[in-house]
Amino acid sequence: MDHEADAFRTDLMTITRFVLNEQSKYPESRGDFTILLSNIVLGCKFVCSAVNKAGLAKLIGLAGDTNIQASFFLFLFIYFLTFFLSCGEEQKKLDVLSNDVFVKALVSSGRTSVLVSEEDEEATFVESSKRGKYCVVFDPLDGSSNIDCGVSIGTIFGIYTMEHSDEPTTKDVLKPGNEMVAAGYCMYGSSCMLVLSTGTGVHGFTLDPSLGEFILTHPDIKIPKKGNIYSVNEGNAQNWDGPTTKYVERCKYPKDGSPAKSLRYVGSMVADVHRTLLYGGIFLYPADKKSPNGKLRVLYEVFPMAFLMEQAGGQAFTGKKRALDLVPKKIHERSPIFLGSYDDVEEIKALYAAEENN
Protein backbone atom coordinates (compact mmCIF):
# COMPACT_ATOMS: atom_id res chain seq x y z
CA MET A 1 0.00 0.00 0.00
CA ASP A 2 1.51 3.38 -0.96
CA HIS A 3 1.82 6.42 1.29
CA GLU A 4 -1.09 8.26 -0.35
CA ALA A 5 -3.36 5.36 0.49
CA ASP A 6 -1.96 5.28 4.04
CA ALA A 7 -3.09 8.86 4.53
CA PHE A 8 -6.72 7.78 4.11
CA ARG A 9 -6.58 4.65 6.26
CA THR A 10 -8.83 4.70 9.31
CA ASP A 11 -7.45 1.58 10.97
CA LEU A 12 -4.09 3.16 11.88
CA MET A 13 -3.81 3.71 15.64
CA THR A 14 -1.90 6.93 16.18
CA ILE A 15 -0.47 7.74 19.59
CA THR A 16 -2.99 10.57 20.04
CA ARG A 17 -5.89 8.29 19.22
CA PHE A 18 -4.46 5.63 21.55
CA VAL A 19 -4.20 8.05 24.49
CA LEU A 20 -7.71 9.39 23.82
CA ASN A 21 -9.00 5.80 23.91
CA GLU A 22 -7.23 5.25 27.23
CA GLN A 23 -8.63 8.55 28.53
CA SER A 24 -12.19 7.48 27.66
CA LYS A 25 -11.88 4.70 30.27
CA TYR A 26 -11.84 7.37 32.97
CA PRO A 27 -14.99 9.54 32.83
CA GLU A 28 -13.53 12.01 35.32
CA SER A 29 -10.57 12.75 33.02
CA ARG A 30 -10.37 16.30 31.66
CA GLY A 31 -7.82 15.62 28.92
CA ASP A 32 -4.86 17.25 30.68
CA PHE A 33 -2.63 14.21 30.27
CA THR A 34 -3.48 13.97 26.56
CA ILE A 35 -2.47 17.60 26.04
CA LEU A 36 0.77 17.09 27.99
CA LEU A 37 1.66 13.97 26.03
CA SER A 38 0.88 15.69 22.72
CA ASN A 39 3.47 18.33 23.55
CA ILE A 40 6.03 15.68 24.49
CA VAL A 41 5.35 13.94 21.16
CA LEU A 42 5.82 17.23 19.31
CA GLY A 43 9.16 17.71 21.05
CA CYS A 44 10.21 14.19 20.05
CA LYS A 45 9.32 14.86 16.41
CA PHE A 46 11.39 18.02 16.35
CA VAL A 47 14.41 16.40 18.01
CA CYS A 48 14.13 13.46 15.61
CA SER A 49 14.28 15.84 12.67
CA ALA A 50 17.23 17.70 14.19
CA VAL A 51 19.12 14.45 14.89
CA ASN A 52 18.63 13.29 11.30
CA LYS A 53 20.02 16.57 9.99
CA ALA A 54 22.73 17.01 12.65
CA GLY A 55 25.73 16.51 10.39
CA LEU A 56 24.25 18.52 7.52
CA ALA A 57 23.21 21.44 9.70
CA LYS A 58 26.34 21.45 11.92
CA LEU A 59 24.33 21.15 15.10
CA ILE A 60 27.25 19.66 17.00
CA GLY A 61 29.06 23.01 17.30
CA LEU A 62 29.70 25.18 20.33
CA ALA A 63 26.86 25.85 22.73
CA GLY A 64 25.62 29.42 22.62
CA ASP A 65 23.57 31.19 25.26
CA THR A 66 20.78 32.68 23.16
CA ASN A 67 17.59 33.20 25.17
CA ILE A 68 14.44 33.08 23.05
CA GLN A 69 11.33 34.47 24.75
CA ALA A 70 8.66 33.35 22.33
CA SER A 71 5.82 30.92 22.04
CA PHE A 72 6.78 27.32 21.49
CA PHE A 73 5.83 27.29 17.81
CA LEU A 74 7.64 30.55 17.14
CA PHE A 75 10.58 29.05 19.03
CA LEU A 76 10.64 26.05 16.67
CA PHE A 77 10.33 28.30 13.63
CA ILE A 78 13.23 30.50 14.73
CA TYR A 79 15.42 27.48 15.36
CA PHE A 80 14.52 26.02 11.99
CA LEU A 81 15.63 29.23 10.30
CA THR A 82 18.79 29.35 12.41
CA PHE A 83 19.77 25.82 11.47
CA PHE A 84 19.21 25.94 7.76
CA LEU A 85 19.42 29.56 6.66
CA SER A 86 22.28 31.04 8.71
CA CYS A 87 25.94 30.78 7.85
CA GLY A 88 29.05 31.20 10.00
CA GLU A 89 27.19 31.54 13.29
CA GLU A 90 27.75 29.34 16.36
CA GLN A 91 25.12 26.64 16.55
CA LYS A 92 23.73 25.17 19.70
CA LYS A 93 24.84 21.69 20.61
CA LEU A 94 22.15 19.16 19.89
CA ASP A 95 21.69 18.21 23.54
CA VAL A 96 21.28 21.86 24.54
CA LEU A 97 18.80 22.39 21.70
CA SER A 98 16.85 19.28 22.71
CA ASN A 99 16.61 20.53 26.27
CA ASP A 100 15.32 23.93 25.13
CA VAL A 101 12.74 22.25 22.90
CA PHE A 102 11.35 20.05 25.66
CA VAL A 103 11.30 22.78 28.30
CA LYS A 104 9.40 25.08 25.92
CA ALA A 105 7.06 22.25 24.90
CA LEU A 106 6.27 21.27 28.48
CA VAL A 107 5.80 24.82 29.76
CA SER A 108 3.61 25.80 26.80
CA SER A 109 1.33 22.81 27.44
CA GLY A 110 0.00 24.63 30.51
CA ARG A 111 -0.13 21.28 32.32
CA THR A 112 3.18 21.22 34.24
CA SER A 113 4.48 22.75 37.46
CA VAL A 114 7.97 21.28 37.96
CA LEU A 115 10.48 20.16 35.33
CA VAL A 116 13.72 18.34 36.06
CA SER A 117 16.17 17.93 33.17
CA GLU A 118 19.53 16.22 32.98
CA GLU A 119 20.82 19.37 31.28
CA ASP A 120 19.77 21.81 34.03
CA GLU A 121 21.46 21.91 37.42
CA GLU A 122 18.31 23.21 39.14
CA ALA A 123 14.66 22.27 38.71
CA THR A 124 12.48 24.55 36.57
CA PHE A 125 9.34 25.90 38.26
CA VAL A 126 6.65 26.99 35.84
CA GLU A 127 5.16 30.44 36.36
CA SER A 128 1.79 30.38 38.12
CA SER A 129 -0.26 31.45 35.06
CA LYS A 130 0.91 28.38 33.09
CA ARG A 131 0.92 25.75 35.82
CA GLY A 132 -0.80 22.38 35.72
CA LYS A 133 -0.96 19.28 37.86
CA TYR A 134 1.99 17.35 36.39
CA CYS A 135 5.72 17.20 37.10
CA VAL A 136 7.99 15.88 34.35
CA VAL A 137 11.52 14.51 34.74
CA PHE A 138 13.52 13.91 31.56
CA ASP A 139 16.83 13.38 29.85
CA PRO A 140 16.37 15.32 26.60
CA LEU A 141 19.10 13.49 24.67
CA ASP A 142 20.53 10.41 26.33
CA GLY A 143 23.67 9.09 24.66
CA SER A 144 24.45 12.39 22.93
CA SER A 145 28.19 11.56 22.95
CA ASN A 146 27.34 8.96 20.27
CA ILE A 147 25.89 11.47 17.80
CA ASP A 148 29.06 11.71 15.69
CA CYS A 149 29.12 7.97 14.98
CA GLY A 150 25.43 7.59 14.16
CA VAL A 151 24.51 5.31 17.07
CA SER A 152 20.89 5.33 18.25
CA ILE A 153 20.22 7.92 20.96
CA GLY A 154 17.01 8.99 22.65
CA THR A 155 14.86 11.00 25.03
CA ILE A 156 13.73 9.51 28.36
CA PHE A 157 10.87 10.91 30.45
CA GLY A 158 8.77 10.19 33.51
CA ILE A 159 5.60 11.92 34.75
CA TYR A 160 4.35 12.52 38.30
CA THR A 161 1.16 14.23 39.45
CA MET A 162 1.00 17.12 41.91
CA GLU A 163 -0.99 16.06 44.96
CA HIS A 164 -1.63 19.62 46.18
CA SER A 165 -2.24 23.14 44.91
CA ASP A 166 0.49 24.83 46.97
CA GLU A 167 3.64 26.42 45.59
CA PRO A 168 5.64 23.66 43.83
CA THR A 169 8.99 22.53 45.26
CA THR A 170 11.54 19.84 44.46
CA LYS A 171 9.73 17.61 46.98
CA ASP A 172 7.06 17.15 44.32
CA VAL A 173 9.53 15.09 42.24
CA LEU A 174 11.64 13.57 45.01
CA LYS A 175 9.28 10.62 45.22
CA PRO A 176 9.74 6.89 44.68
CA GLY A 177 9.41 5.70 41.12
CA ASN A 178 6.35 3.61 42.02
CA GLU A 179 4.41 6.92 42.22
CA MET A 180 5.01 7.76 38.56
CA VAL A 181 1.83 7.81 36.46
CA ALA A 182 3.61 7.38 33.12
CA ALA A 183 7.05 6.91 31.62
CA GLY A 184 8.58 6.41 28.22
CA TYR A 185 11.43 6.99 25.83
CA CYS A 186 11.81 8.03 22.22
CA MET A 187 14.63 6.38 20.30
CA TYR A 188 16.19 8.16 17.32
CA GLY A 189 17.85 5.55 15.11
CA SER A 190 17.14 3.72 11.86
CA SER A 191 13.53 4.54 12.72
CA CYS A 192 12.07 6.85 15.35
CA MET A 193 10.20 4.84 17.97
CA LEU A 194 8.35 6.07 21.05
CA VAL A 195 7.75 3.50 23.81
CA LEU A 196 5.17 4.49 26.41
CA SER A 197 3.47 3.14 29.51
CA THR A 198 0.66 4.82 31.43
CA GLY A 199 0.58 2.02 33.99
CA THR A 200 -1.46 -0.43 31.92
CA GLY A 201 1.21 -2.18 29.87
CA VAL A 202 3.87 -1.01 27.42
CA HIS A 203 3.20 0.05 23.83
CA GLY A 204 5.54 1.05 21.01
CA PHE A 205 4.79 3.66 18.34
CA THR A 206 6.89 4.20 15.21
CA LEU A 207 7.05 7.57 13.45
CA ASP A 208 5.75 7.40 9.89
CA PRO A 209 7.61 10.28 8.16
CA SER A 210 5.05 10.43 5.34
CA LEU A 211 2.20 11.04 7.80
CA GLY A 212 4.15 12.85 10.50
CA GLU A 213 2.43 10.59 13.05
CA PHE A 214 3.51 7.96 15.57
CA ILE A 215 1.69 4.74 14.65
CA LEU A 216 1.10 1.85 17.05
CA THR A 217 3.41 -0.90 15.78
CA HIS A 218 4.27 -2.79 18.99
CA PRO A 219 1.12 -3.20 21.10
CA ASP A 220 1.37 -4.65 24.61
CA ILE A 221 5.12 -5.35 24.67
CA LYS A 222 6.11 -8.24 26.96
CA ILE A 223 9.75 -8.97 27.74
CA PRO A 224 10.70 -12.68 27.55
CA LYS A 225 10.90 -14.27 31.01
CA LYS A 226 14.53 -15.19 30.35
CA GLY A 227 16.94 -13.97 27.71
CA ASN A 228 20.27 -14.96 26.19
CA ILE A 229 21.83 -11.47 26.02
CA TYR A 230 23.62 -9.47 28.69
CA SER A 231 24.53 -5.82 28.26
CA VAL A 232 27.29 -4.23 30.35
CA ASN A 233 30.46 -2.19 29.93
CA GLU A 234 33.10 -4.85 30.60
CA GLY A 235 35.79 -2.21 30.51
CA ASN A 236 34.88 -1.56 34.16
CA ALA A 237 35.16 -5.23 35.18
CA GLN A 238 38.23 -4.77 37.38
CA ASN A 239 36.25 -2.36 39.57
CA TRP A 240 33.08 -4.45 40.01
CA ASP A 241 31.85 -5.97 43.25
CA GLY A 242 31.63 -9.74 43.85
CA PRO A 243 28.00 -10.42 42.77
CA THR A 244 28.35 -8.55 39.47
CA THR A 245 31.63 -10.29 38.69
CA LYS A 246 30.11 -13.71 39.46
CA TYR A 247 27.02 -13.01 37.38
CA VAL A 248 29.00 -11.98 34.29
CA GLU A 249 31.23 -15.03 34.70
CA ARG A 250 28.09 -17.21 34.71
CA CYS A 251 26.89 -15.46 31.55
CA LYS A 252 30.13 -16.29 29.76
CA TYR A 253 30.91 -19.67 31.32
CA PRO A 254 27.66 -21.29 32.50
CA LYS A 255 28.16 -24.38 34.68
CA ASP A 256 24.70 -25.88 34.17
CA GLY A 257 25.26 -26.92 30.58
CA SER A 258 23.22 -24.06 29.10
CA PRO A 259 24.65 -22.01 26.21
CA ALA A 260 26.66 -18.90 27.06
CA LYS A 261 24.88 -15.56 26.82
CA SER A 262 25.84 -13.10 24.09
CA LEU A 263 27.29 -9.71 25.02
CA ARG A 264 25.65 -6.70 23.36
CA TYR A 265 26.57 -3.19 24.56
CA VAL A 266 25.96 0.00 22.61
CA GLY A 267 26.75 2.54 25.35
CA SER A 268 23.49 4.40 24.78
CA MET A 269 20.97 3.49 27.50
CA VAL A 270 17.92 3.93 25.28
CA ALA A 271 19.34 1.61 22.61
CA ASP A 272 20.51 -1.03 25.10
CA VAL A 273 17.27 -1.03 27.10
CA HIS A 274 15.15 -1.06 23.93
CA ARG A 275 16.90 -4.20 22.69
CA THR A 276 16.58 -5.79 26.14
CA LEU A 277 12.86 -4.98 26.25
CA LEU A 278 12.18 -6.59 22.87
CA TYR A 279 14.58 -9.55 22.93
CA GLY A 280 14.97 -10.26 26.65
CA GLY A 281 18.11 -10.53 28.74
CA ILE A 282 19.59 -8.10 31.23
CA PHE A 283 21.06 -4.59 31.21
CA LEU A 284 23.60 -3.88 33.96
CA TYR A 285 25.14 -0.62 35.10
CA PRO A 286 26.51 -1.59 38.51
CA ALA A 287 28.26 0.45 41.15
CA ASP A 288 32.03 0.04 41.12
CA LYS A 289 35.13 1.39 42.83
CA LYS A 290 35.16 4.48 40.60
CA SER A 291 31.41 5.16 41.00
CA PRO A 292 30.33 3.64 44.33
CA ASN A 293 26.87 5.19 44.03
CA GLY A 294 26.38 4.08 40.44
CA LYS A 295 26.45 6.21 37.33
CA LEU A 296 22.89 6.52 36.03
CA ARG A 297 20.52 9.20 37.35
CA VAL A 298 17.62 7.97 39.41
CA LEU A 299 14.82 10.36 38.41
CA TYR A 300 15.10 10.49 34.64
CA GLU A 301 17.03 7.34 33.71
CA VAL A 302 16.58 4.61 36.33
CA PHE A 303 12.93 5.28 37.26
CA PRO A 304 11.41 5.58 33.76
CA MET A 305 13.26 2.51 32.45
CA ALA A 306 12.43 0.50 35.59
CA PHE A 307 8.77 1.54 35.26
CA LEU A 308 8.65 0.34 31.65
CA MET A 309 10.48 -2.89 32.43
CA GLU A 310 8.10 -3.82 35.24
CA GLN A 311 5.06 -2.96 33.13
CA ALA A 312 6.42 -5.32 30.46
CA GLY A 313 6.80 -8.17 32.97
CA GLY A 314 10.46 -7.74 33.88
CA GLN A 315 12.27 -6.51 36.97
CA ALA A 316 14.57 -3.66 37.98
CA PHE A 317 16.96 -3.96 40.95
CA THR A 318 19.59 -1.64 42.44
CA GLY A 319 21.74 -4.23 44.18
CA LYS A 320 19.88 -3.58 47.41
CA LYS A 321 16.19 -3.18 46.60
CA ARG A 322 13.53 -2.84 43.92
CA ALA A 323 14.51 0.19 41.84
CA LEU A 324 11.06 1.83 41.94
CA ASP A 325 11.12 1.81 45.77
CA LEU A 326 14.09 4.18 45.93
CA VAL A 327 13.35 7.59 47.46
CA PRO A 328 15.80 10.12 45.95
CA LYS A 329 17.09 12.94 48.13
CA LYS A 330 18.53 15.03 45.28
CA ILE A 331 17.21 15.64 41.77
CA HIS A 332 20.41 14.39 40.12
CA GLU A 333 21.02 11.46 42.45
CA ARG A 334 22.65 8.36 40.96
CA SER A 335 22.09 4.64 41.46
CA PRO A 336 23.31 1.27 40.22
CA ILE A 337 20.74 -0.60 38.12
CA PHE A 338 20.10 -4.14 36.90
CA LEU A 339 17.00 -4.48 34.74
CA GLY A 340 15.55 -6.89 32.24
CA SER A 341 13.94 -10.33 32.05
CA TYR A 342 12.39 -11.53 35.30
CA ASP A 343 14.49 -14.69 35.69
CA ASP A 344 17.77 -12.99 34.76
CA VAL A 345 17.29 -10.22 37.34
CA GLU A 346 16.18 -12.84 39.87
CA GLU A 347 19.54 -14.56 39.43
CA ILE A 348 21.58 -11.48 40.23
CA LYS A 349 19.28 -10.68 43.17
CA ALA A 350 20.13 -14.11 44.58
CA LEU A 351 23.86 -13.38 44.27
CA TYR A 352 23.50 -10.11 46.19
CA ALA A 353 21.36 -11.83 48.84
CA ALA A 354 24.00 -14.57 49.25
CA GLU A 355 26.77 -11.98 49.69
CA GLU A 356 24.73 -10.11 52.28
CA ASN A 357 24.10 -13.34 54.22
CA ASN A 358 27.82 -14.16 54.19
Side-chain angles (χ1 to χ4, degrees):
M1 185 174 289
D2 59 29
H3 292 309
E4 288 185 9
D6 278 347
F8 294 99
R9 287 179 61 182
T10 58
D11 60 326
L12 294 176
M13 178 67 76
T14 67
I15 191 167
T16 303
R17 184 175 167 187
F18 176 85
V19 174
L20 286 171
N21 285 352
E22 290 293 301
Q23 176 188 310
S24 66
K25 299 175 184 177
Y26 305 94
E28 71 280 5
S29 176
R30 302 187 315 176
D32 289 340
F33 180 77
T34 304
I35 293 170
L36 171 62
L37 188 64
S38 294
N39 281 47
I40 292 175
V41 168
L42 182 60
C44 291
K45 289 177 182 177
F46 183 81
V47 173
C48 177
S49 177
V51 167
N52 289 339
K53 296 181 176 69
L56 181 66
K58 299 180 181 178
L59 302 190
I60 312 170
L62 298 173
D65 55 0
T66 305
N67 182 24
I68 299 176
Q69 300 296 330
S71 70
F72 180 54
F73 295 104
L74 180 58
F75 169 81
L76 293 183
F77 178 68
I78 291 173
Y79 260 123
F80 185 88
L81 290 180
T82 302
F83 293 153
F84 301 113
L85 300 183
S86 65
C87 296
E89 297 180 6
E90 287 187 349
Q91 301 288 351
K92 285 201 173 186
K93 283 185 178 178
L94 197 50
D95 49 2
V96 177
L97 161 68
S98 301
N99 186 57
D100 287 350
V101 165
F102 278 104
V103 169
K104 292 286 185 180
L106 293 166
V107 171
S108 68
S109 73
R111 301 301 186 274
T112 58
S113 288
V114 186
L115 309 178
V116 173
S117 168
E118 191 270 344
E119 289 291 326
D120 295 326
E121 189 173 337
E122 303 294 334
T124 298
F125 298 101
V126 180
E127 60 184 274
S128 56
S129 63
K130 296 181 179 178
R131 279 182 198 156
K133 67 177 183 178
Y134 293 105
C135 305
V136 183
V137 294
F138 61 99
D139 185 344
L141 203 61
D142 177 74
S144 55
S145 60
N146 287 317
I147 294 170
D148 284 344
C149 58
V151 169
S152 295
I153 54 181
T155 298
I156 309 172
F157 61 90
I159 302 173
Y160 289 99
T161 53
M162 291 270 290
E163 303 298 338
H164 59 83
S165 57
D166 302 332
E167 195 70 15
T169 69
T170 54
K171 290 182 180 179
D172 294 308
V173 292
L174 294 178
K175 301 176 180 178
N178 55 39
E179 293 187 25
M180 278 187 171
V181 296
Y185 61 81
C186 189
M187 185 177 68
Y188 315 112
S190 56
S191 61
C192 179
M193 186 169 180
L194 195 153
V195 176
L196 173 72
S197 175
T198 58
T200 56
V202 181
H203 306 277
F205 303 82
T206 303
L207 182 64
D208 184 335
S210 66
L211 301 178
E213 290 282 2
F214 280 99
I215 307 299
L216 180 63
T217 52
H218 295 68
D220 197 21
I221 297 171
K222 295 295 182 187
I223 185 170
K225 198 163 186 289
K226 188 175 180 66
N228 59 4
I229 296 173
Y230 72 103
S231 182
V232 66
N233 183 358
E234 290 209 56
N236 295 326
Q238 64 180 345
N239 297 313
W240 289 342
D241 60 16
T244 301
T245 302
K246 288 178 183 176
Y247 181 78
V248 173
E249 282 296 304
R250 288 185 185 181
C251 290
K252 295 192 286 188
Y253 310 108
K255 297 179 180 179
D256 59 0
S258 62
K261 292 183 184 292
S262 298
L263 170 65
R264 298 287 184 271
Y265 186 71
V266 175
S268 170
M269 188 186 190
V270 169
D272 283 315
V273 171
H274 184 69
R275 182 197 57 250
T276 303
L277 188 65
L278 295 184
Y279 298 160
I282 188 168
F283 170 83
L284 311 88
Y285 212 120
D288 57 34
K289 294 173 185 175
K290 293 190 299 181
S291 306
N293 295 319
K295 197 81 179 285
L296 298 179
R297 314 288 182 145
V298 172
L299 276 180
Y300 41 79
E301 291 177 322
V302 171
F303 278 173
M305 293 309 200
F307 186 93
L308 290 167
M309 202 58 69
E310 286 198 4
Q311 286 292 317
Q315 291 195 79
F317 177 63
T318 68
K320 294 181 178 179
K321 61 168 69 174
R322 176 191 179 212
L324 292 180
D325 289 339
L326 278 175
V327 182
K329 296 180 175 60
K330 299 180 294 183
I331 61 174
H332 296 299
E333 190 171 311
R334 301 174 189 265
S335 172
I337 187 65
F338 307 87
L339 54 81
S341 295
Y342 191 95
D343 287 353
D344 292 322
V345 177
E346 199 66 23
E347 188 174 344
I348 201 161
K349 285 168 68 176
L351 289 170
Y352 273 97
E355 182 180 76
E356 188 174 345
N357 291 336
N358 291 334

